[in-house]
Amino acid sequence: MRLAKVRGFFHPIIAAFASLSVLVIFWIGGYFVIKKVITIGEFIAFNGTIGYLLMPTIFIGWIMSMLQRSRASLERIGEVIGEANVLRDINVDSGIKTLSGDIRIDNLSFSYNKEKEILSNFSLSIKSGEMVAIIGEVGVGKSTVINLMQRIYAPPKNSIFYDGNDVFRIPLEILHANINYVSQEPHIFSGSIRDNISYIDQVDTTLDAIIWAAKFADIAKDIESFPNAYDTLIGENGITLSGGQKQRIALARAIINRPKILMLDNVFSAVDTETEDNILQNLLQLKGHITTIIVAHRVSTLKHCDKIILLKEGMVLASGTHEELMHNKDYMDIYEKQI
Amino acid sequence: MKNKFNTTFIKLFKRFFKQKILLMILIFVMLLVIAFQLSPPILIKIGIDKYIMKGNIIGLNFIVLILVCIYSLEFFLSFIETYITQKLSQQIMAELRSDLFKKIEKQNALFFDRHKVGELVSRLTSDISNLEQLFTTGFLDSFLKTVMIIVIVIILIVLNFKLAIVVIAVLPFVLMLFVGFSAIVMPLYRNLRVNTAKLSAFMRENITGMSVIQNFGKENAHQKQFNVVNEELSFNYRKIISYFALFFPAIEIASAVTVALVLLVGGKMILSSILTIGTLVAFIDYIDKLFSPLKELSERYNLFQSASASAERIFDLLEDQDNIVQEGRELFVNPKGHIEFKNVTFSYFQEPVLKTISFSIEPGEKVAFVGATGSGKSTVLKLLMRLYDLNEGEILIDHHKSDEYELGSLRRAFGWITQDPQIFTASVADNISLFNDNITLDEIKMAAKTTKADIFIEQFAEKYDHLLIERGENLSVGEKQLIAITRLVANRAKILLLDEATANIDVLTEKLINQNLEQLMKSMTTIVVAHRLATVKNVDRILVFDKGRIVEEGTHDELLKQKGVYHMLYKYQFKK
Ligand SMILES: Nc1ncnc2c1ncn2[C@@H]1O[C@H](COP(=O)(O)OP(=O)(O)O)[C@@H](O)[C@H]1O
Ligand SMILES: Nc1ncnc2c1ncn2[C@@H]1O[C@H](COP(=O)(O)OP(=O)(O)O)[C@@H](O)[C@H]1O
Ligand SMILES: [Mg+2]
Ligand SMILES: [Mg+2]
């Protein structure tokens, strides 16, 4: 089809060349026949074969211009394939088979671009099984910390450690198998609710496990009220769900295999406080087994955490439990505004 | 199917024929081109028979001169032809694209619930460019080629009837070959189209969901799915190409056989002096001109196929009346901001999501909606924005049925923010003014100051000229919400609908925004949907939603005293 297009474009030029050749052969050939240099038979033979001689030369020109055009496409493709920011394992310790949930961040500094530094010398340590909240103003870098911990963006070397191993020493597969993450604007695939919740292993996950996860995320009642329950189809990116339903399906998807580490980026933002409390109660049941990092704005979430990190200007401004922080002026500011 | 196919083409032709004058000029030019293309063999025949064979050099030169003129004119006319064709098709396509876009803008949200974004984008781009090809290489060129084939056959008959019979005898076989080939290849092309659509839908969904895929380590599983789709596509391609690899040489052979037959029969005729050498040469030229269009027409099949499917999809959309939002003629001017719902019932599918809801809001009042997720709060706002039509009941805006207003003027009075606001690929300033030139930079800056968005905007090196990208990946989600709120302030909406608009904004910033907005909000009717009760506490009135009904109503203090649903939500937030 593309050939037809190109040929169409080249048609006038090719035709002009062909015409020219016919003309020249006819004129000179005719002249030679009249002067008896060649016979009429030779003249006709020439007339017939000149096309075979000329066409290939014309096509070479055409091929050259095709090549030129393809090179541009090839370069663009090459840019993607040769992209430097590829996620890959270099020099990993293949002996690491699992993570315990113990996390340490050491003097982490990071910026997306030269304009401003998002994190500067940020340090934090989380023991296995703890529940930690990160709070702070819009744009301080809460989501950034969570992204870096999963290598969604690459942190500097020797700044993030799991069980004492630099994050770059851990095979990506192991890192991703042990950390489940619900982002601020979770993506839901089109398909059934069942397929979305059992996303991690769509083949072997039992319905019981799916229902357990749905109950955990307090979405089971909603799902059962849908016409086809777990087989209800949801549109592209969960368009037929309310905001809070989407967040909770994403949460169910992340909890289903009880990962060692769970990262929740403001996942209760569209959820009412009663539902939030139900989910928090469920999460508390798993305390000690799952390391949970929660970005939140509501005090109702923070109260249950083992540790609250208050981020400001790229650093930890204060940290401690809710009770401990009640003596901190900055934290109290936030707390009081909510009452 | 066949019928639909025809009506689609008729509709296309109608648009095509609207440009009568250009079209007539074009057809005239095309016929001239055909005439010029087909005359050289006859001239050459005359040259050979009358002059070369008779030794007349002056005559030969004369013929050559005529040929030069004809070739130059043909060359020139072909360019004119291409130019007019392009102009014509570009005009029609631009018109079609704009009709299509207008239509999409008028669709209600049910439409967007049903159609994938990738699908719609491909209608506006690749479907349209398919049609464009249909016009240029499809209709016009095929028309030209068909006329040419017919004219050649006539010329041959006139030149020498007996010899023409030889050529015409071969044609049925060639036509059979052509038809047979089409019958095989057409369904393959249909599959190809399905495969391509599948592949692009797959790509789109997987690229937007890439972070989830990576986080759950499902790269391999998705790669496998991709390979299946990809392999299907490539298999189909290979199949089609292999048929072409058979068909083209077959045509070549047919052409060679015809030439041989003509030489055989014609040679004998020359020997018995019934035929001149010039006529034989002309015949051979014409045979070549007869067969190469057949090859080209065979490549058109694909084009007709995919273009007719594209045309069908485009016209389906253009004529789809189901999802058009009802609208009246009345312009919504000088809005006061009074809102009333009267027994409104609404369902997306069968199950009602809102059940006979009634409430009214005074101009300048500030009302909060609270309630469990999925209880229908966002749905009320979407109905106010007239994204869907009601099943029962009515909505009155300034004591007038809202579906009697002209849609655009009504929506402009509203400022609606959802939880994940849209960011356009444009500067910060344009994202705030929404490309409204009447809003000055100073006004934009003032607005940003009110919403505290100026704090992070000032940190960009280019400040208000800083380029944001679609979906706003270079902003934090809270920052996107700040931009959206600033947008409303700058555009002076009369009725604010804030659907969890501050859910990703920390409490301190939110407090500051509220303080700044307070003055502004006095003249605006405001509905806030929020879960943080601190956000809700200071409004004039709170409506509590539960499973599609309004179950409680009152101020914060009144509702706490009632010890009902609101009290419970409040308790959860502050319980130790
Ligand atoms: N992909 C990116 N490219 C450039 N800048 C970014 C990107 N993502 C976030 N930022 C900027 O980094 C800062 C921190 O963002 P983020 O961590 O998302 O904030 P939050 O604390 O609200 O989650 C913000 O100022 C934001 O504009
Ligand atoms: N576009 C849609 N198509 C089908 N169902 C929808 C759509 N949007 C929302 N719903 C359903 O309607 C109900 C109410 O949703 P919504 O008004 O968004 O709730 P919320 O009170 O959380 O804002 C939910 O059960 C939701 O699943
Ligand atoms: Mg964030
Ligand atoms: Mg909602």
Side-chain angles (χ1 to χ4, degrees):
Chain A
M1 199 181 88
R2 180 174 306 144
L3 201 68
K5 195 157 108 193
V6 175
R7 205 178 275 172
F9 177 72
F10 270 83
H11 189 238
I13 295 172
I14 291 178
F17 268 99
S19 312
L20 198 68
S21 69
V22 172
L23 201 68
V24 170
I25 289 293
F26 177 65
W27 196 15
I28 298 179
Y31 184 80
F32 282 169
V33 171
I34 291 171
K35 291 279 174 224
K36 305 236 164 18
V37 181
I38 58 171
T39 66
I40 184 78
E42 282 167 330
F43 168 73
I44 291 171
F46 255 105
N47 216 2
T49 42
I50 187 68
Y52 292 104
L53 189 66
L54 265 167
M55 274 305 168
T57 36
I58 293 166
F59 268 95
I60 285 177
W62 174 71
I63 287 167
M64 295 297 274
S65 87
M66 276 283 273
L67 277 181
Q68 205 63 28
R69 264 182 268 180
S70 325
R71 211 174 71 184
S73 313
L74 197 65
E75 269 165 19
R76 275 198 301 259
I77 293 173
E79 262 168 40
V80 176
I81 291 181
E83 173 68 48
N85 295 322
V86 183
L87 277 174
R88 66 175 161 226
D89 289 337
I90 311 169
N91 198 12
V92 294
D93 182 349
S94 49
I96 300 176
K97 297 283 183 235
T98 183
L99 305 181
S100 75
D102 178 276
I103 307 170
R104 183 160 54 85
I105 300 181
D106 231 12
N107 284 320
L108 169 62
S109 296
F110 179 80
S111 56
Y112 288 100
N113 44 43
K114 279 167 227 95
E115 276 168 33
K116 65 174 175 188
E117 188 164 66
I118 310 292
L119 299 171
S120 39
N121 293 325
F122 174 82
S123 298
L124 167 68
S125 80
I126 300 170
K127 283 199 228 42
S128 168
E130 269 185 339
M131 191 155 148
V132 174
I134 301 178
I135 61 173
E137 287 173 13
V138 181
V140 284
K142 305 178 294 294
S143 303
T144 305
V145 173
I146 288 197
N147 287 343
L148 291 173
M149 291 208 287
Q150 302 173 69
R151 282 185 60 192
I152 292 176
Y153 286 89
K157 280 210 159 37
N158 292 319
S159 54
I160 297 177
F161 300 88
Y162 290 90
D163 303 327
N165 298 309
D166 184 21
V167 64
F168 288 103
R169 300 280 291 154
I170 300 161
L172 270 172
E173 200 185 323
I174 303 296
L175 192 69
H176 286 156
N178 284 277
I179 303 177
N180 284 354
Y181 162 58
V182 183
S183 75
Q184 234 167 326
E185 296 172 308
H187 183 269
I188 306 282
F189 292 96
S190 57
S192 68
I193 292 181
R194 178 200 298 263
D195 282 349
N196 266 291
I197 295 182
S198 67
Y199 180 69
I200 290 180
D201 185 355
Q202 279 162 341
V203 185
D204 290 330
T205 308
T206 60
L207 185 60
D208 283 345
I210 293 172
I211 293 175
W212 175 81
K215 286 207 169 120
F216 189 98
D218 202 18
I219 180 78
K221 272 193 254 99
D222 294 58
I223 296 174
E224 276 149 22
S225 77
F226 293 151
N228 294 318
Y230 286 88
D231 292 316
T232 305
L233 296 177
I234 35 195
E236 189 179 40
N237 209 0
I239 198 158
T240 54
L241 298 170
S242 87
Q245 288 168 340
K246 220 166 109 175
Q247 283 180 330
R248 283 174 294 149
I249 286 188
L251 179 64
R253 171 174 74 190
I255 194 69
I256 194 161
N257 67 343
R258 304 177 207 212
K260 283 318 286 185
I261 301 167
L262 189 63
M263 299 188 182
L264 309 176
D265 195 348
N266 212 10
V267 294
F268 300 126
S269 66
V271 174
D272 60 286
T273 40
E274 182 183 355
T275 311
E276 179 190 6
D277 193 70
N278 292 342
I279 299 172
L280 281 169
Q281 293 307 329
N282 292 335
L283 276 173
L284 289 175
Q285 302 261 312
L286 291 182
K287 208 149 117 175
H289 303 285
I290 294 186
T291 306
T292 315
I293 300 173
I294 306 182
V295 172
H297 293 296
R298 292 190 211 155
V299 174
S300 47
T301 317
L302 305 179
K303 279 181 314 202
H304 303 287
C305 295
D306 296 311
K307 194 187 280 172
I308 299 166
I309 312 287
L310 176 54
L311 254 182
K312 179 131 192 170
E313 283 160 8
M315 283 181 289
V316 179
L317 187 65
S319 75
T321 62
H322 176 66
E323 277 72 28
E324 287 163 12
L325 285 173
M326 291 299 269
H327 307 291
N328 183 292
K329 188 185 149 302
D330 296 290
Y331 184 76
M332 278 314 287
D333 249 8
I334 295 170
Y335 181 66
E336 277 165 1
K337 293 254 155 50
Q338 294 208 25
I339 304 174
Chain B
M1 164 75 204
K2 187 77 193 164
N3 230 332
K4 194 162 183 186
F5 185 82
N6 286 338
T7 50
T8 309
F9 274 107
I10 289 169
K11 280 174 211 148
L12 260 179
F13 272 122
K14 273 195 191 140
R15 276 172 182 268
F16 199 42
F17 285 122
K18 269 202 277 183
Q19 317 266 346
K20 277 196 199 73
I21 301 173
L22 255 188
L23 192 65
M24 251 135 73
I25 298 178
L26 182 63
I27 290 179
F28 180 69
V29 172
M30 283 182 136
L31 292 178
L32 272 186
V33 169
I34 294 181
F36 284 143
Q37 274 178 357
L38 294 185
S39 49
I42 295 188
L43 284 167
I44 288 174
K45 165 194 144 54
I46 295 172
I48 293 176
D49 289 348
K50 288 243 169 81
Y51 305 114
I52 297 180
M53 296 304 282
K54 307 249 163 78
N56 183 343
I57 289 191
I58 301 187
L60 175 66
N61 289 346
F62 179 63
I63 293 279
V64 168
L65 195 67
I66 297 181
L67 277 176
V68 169
C69 293
I70 285 185
Y71 283 140
S72 331
L73 274 176
E74 186 205 325
F75 190 65
F76 177 65
L77 282 177
S78 312
F79 269 112
I80 294 190
E81 182 201 321
T82 315
Y83 176 76
I84 300 179
T85 313
Q86 285 301 329
K87 190 175 154 95
L88 197 60
S89 72
Q90 289 310 331
Q91 261 172 21
I92 297 169
M93 291 314 136
E95 198 181 294
L96 207 53
R97 250 194 306 265
S98 123
D99 285 358
L100 210 54
F101 195 67
K102 252 186 239 154
K103 188 76 180 197
I104 292 178
E105 283 183 318
K106 285 236 181 291
Q107 298 291 334
N108 72 20
L110 266 185
F111 172 85
F112 295 100
D113 294 351
R114 281 210 315 250
H115 293 278
K116 294 192 175 185
V117 182
E119 192 187 307
L120 291 176
V121 170
S122 85
R123 278 192 202 183
L124 278 164
T125 54
S126 60
D127 276 351
I128 292 270
S129 91
N130 257 344
L131 275 199
E132 185 185 323
Q133 279 205 24
L134 181 70
F135 276 115
T136 52
T137 29
F139 287 158
L140 297 174
D141 211 46
S142 304
F143 167 74
L144 196 107
K145 293 271 148 56
T146 316
V147 171
M148 205 150 127
I149 290 175
I150 295 170
V151 174
I152 290 177
V153 172
I154 295 172
I155 292 179
L156 291 184
I157 292 175
V158 172
L159 272 180
N160 186 305
F161 185 70
K162 265 195 189 157
L163 207 50
I165 296 280
V166 174
V167 179
I168 293 170
V170 181
L171 276 184
F173 293 104
V174 177
L175 279 183
M176 262 161 57
L177 195 66
F178 187 68
V179 172
F181 173 73
S182 315
I184 297 175
V185 169
M186 257 174 25
L188 290 182
Y189 271 123
R190 214 169 297 141
N191 292 347
L192 193 66
R193 239 184 22 244
V194 175
N195 291 337
T196 320
K198 243 198 202 158
L199 188 79
S200 62
F202 184 91
M203 294 283 245
R204 174 154 183 115
E205 175 151 41
N206 279 270
I207 289 174
T208 40
M210 193 50 76
S211 62
V212 179
I213 297 175
Q214 288 179 345
N215 178 252
F216 290 104
K218 295 275 286 187
E219 294 94 335
N220 286 339
H222 284 258
Q223 182 75 47
K224 264 194 209 126
Q225 286 173 14
F226 178 80
N227 288 347
V228 171
V229 183
N230 194 23
E231 179 52 35
E232 262 172 31
L233 178 71
S234 125
F235 177 72
N236 241 316
Y237 251 124
R238 290 199 303 265
K239 222 160 148 186
I240 290 174
I241 287 171
S242 63
Y243 281 112
F244 266 105
L246 282 177
F247 178 69
F248 276 10
I251 291 277
E252 291 287 347
I253 290 171
S255 157
V257 169
T258 317
V259 171
L261 282 176
V262 165
L263 274 179
L264 191 71
V265 178
K268 275 188 189 150
M269 289 162 96
I270 289 178
L271 287 181
S272 40
S273 298
I274 330 177
L275 192 74
T276 64
I277 291 185
T279 312
L280 189 63
V281 172
F283 253 81
I284 292 170
D285 275 356
Y286 280 128
I287 290 171
D288 186 46
K289 282 195 169 23
L290 192 63
F291 280 84
S292 53
L294 277 181
K295 267 197 280 183
E296 282 168 35
L297 281 180
S298 74
E299 285 175 319
R300 297 297 142 72
Y301 255 104
N302 167 33
L303 191 62
F304 274 114
Q305 263 292 311
S306 63
S308 72
S310 296
E312 220 177 283
R313 280 195 297 259
I314 288 175
F315 283 107
D316 273 357
L317 185 57
L318 278 178
E319 279 154 23
D320 181 3
Q321 296 297 339
D322 297 354
N323 297 308
I324 299 292
V325 186
Q326 297 291 322
E327 72 176 314
R329 292 272 171 77
E330 201 167 329
L331 283 180
F332 188 46
V333 284
N334 298 324
K336 310 259 175 324
H338 185 273
I339 296 172
E340 184 172 2
F341 269 54
K342 270 192 186 163
N343 299 320
V344 171
T345 296
F346 174 77
S347 57
Y348 290 99
F349 301 113
Q350 289 95 357
E351 281 292 300
V353 171
L354 297 180
K355 298 161 194 159
T356 50
I357 279 197
S358 301
F359 63 87
S360 77
I361 299 176
E362 295 303 313
E365 203 183 0
K366 200 173 172 198
V367 172
F369 289 177
V370 301
T373 76
S375 59
K377 307 177 297 291
S378 301
T379 305
V380 168
L381 303 193
K382 287 191 224 166
L383 292 181
L384 273 172
M385 290 305 286
R386 309 234 35 234
L387 296 186
Y388 300 91
D389 285 319
L390 308 180
N391 302 27
E392 272 169 50
E394 52 191 38
I395 298 176
L396 306 177
I397 310 284
D398 288 356
H399 308 287
H400 227 88
K401 280 173 83 171
S402 84
D403 54 10
E404 286 172 0
Y405 290 116
E406 189 264 331
L407 206 55
S409 67
L410 182 73
R411 285 186 181 158
R412 269 191 293 280
F414 284 89
W416 178 45
I417 308 187
T418 59
Q419 222 192 333
D420 30 25
Q422 179 74 30
I423 296 291
F424 298 95
T425 301
S427 69
V428 171
D430 283 341
N431 261 292
I432 292 175
S433 71
L434 279 183
F435 308 98
N436 183 346
D437 294 330
N438 295 329
I439 300 176
T440 65
L441 185 60
D442 281 337
E443 284 171 314
I444 292 174
K445 283 184 179 161
M446 276 296 292
K449 204 172 224 132
T450 335
T451 60
K452 290 288 150 204
D454 63 333
I455 297 177
F456 78 88
I457 296 172
E458 295 288 340
Q459 285 181 19
F460 298 130
E462 280 137 19
K463 308 223 154 86
Y464 288 83
D465 290 328
H466 180 82
L467 186 74
L468 300 180
I469 48 178
E470 187 206 344
R471 301 210 287 140
E473 304 291 17
N474 53 0
L475 289 181
S476 88
V477 181
E479 288 167 343
K480 280 199 261 182
Q481 293 195 328
L482 286 181
I483 295 260
I485 298 174
T486 313
R487 205 178 263 170
L488 298 195
V489 175
N491 280 282
R492 298 169 195 284
K494 188 70 194 176
I495 304 170
L496 292 189
L497 310 175
L498 308 177
D499 194 351
E500 301 176 14
T502 52
N504 285 299
I505 296 173
D506 60 290
V507 269
L508 292 179
T509 311
E510 184 188 10
K511 194 93 185 172
L512 289 173
I513 297 174
N514 278 341
Q515 281 164 6
N516 290 330
L517 281 181
E518 206 163 326
Q519 197 56 34
L520 265 172
M521 278 188 181
K522 280 196 181 129
S523 60
M524 295 193 254
T525 307
T526 311
I527 300 180
V528 287
V529 177
H531 294 294
R532 260 188 256 150
L533 298 181
T535 316
V536 164
K537 238 171 55 179
N538 300 316
V539 300
D540 299 323
R541 197 147 49 101
I542 298 167
L543 303 183
V544 184
F545 280 69
D546 189 32
K547 302 198 181 79
R549 289 205 166 80
I550 296 176
V551 291
E552 285 170 26
E553 182 178 342
T555 64
H556 174 74
D557 294 331
E558 286 165 8
L559 288 178
L560 279 188
K561 277 193 211 110
Q562 280 188 21
K563 297 234 184 279
V565 179
Y566 184 79
H567 177 259
M568 211 162 70
L569 291 174
Y570 185 80
K571 203 181 63 195
Y572 274 117
Q573 191 149 176
F574 294 101
K575 88 170 186 197
K576 291 275 153 171

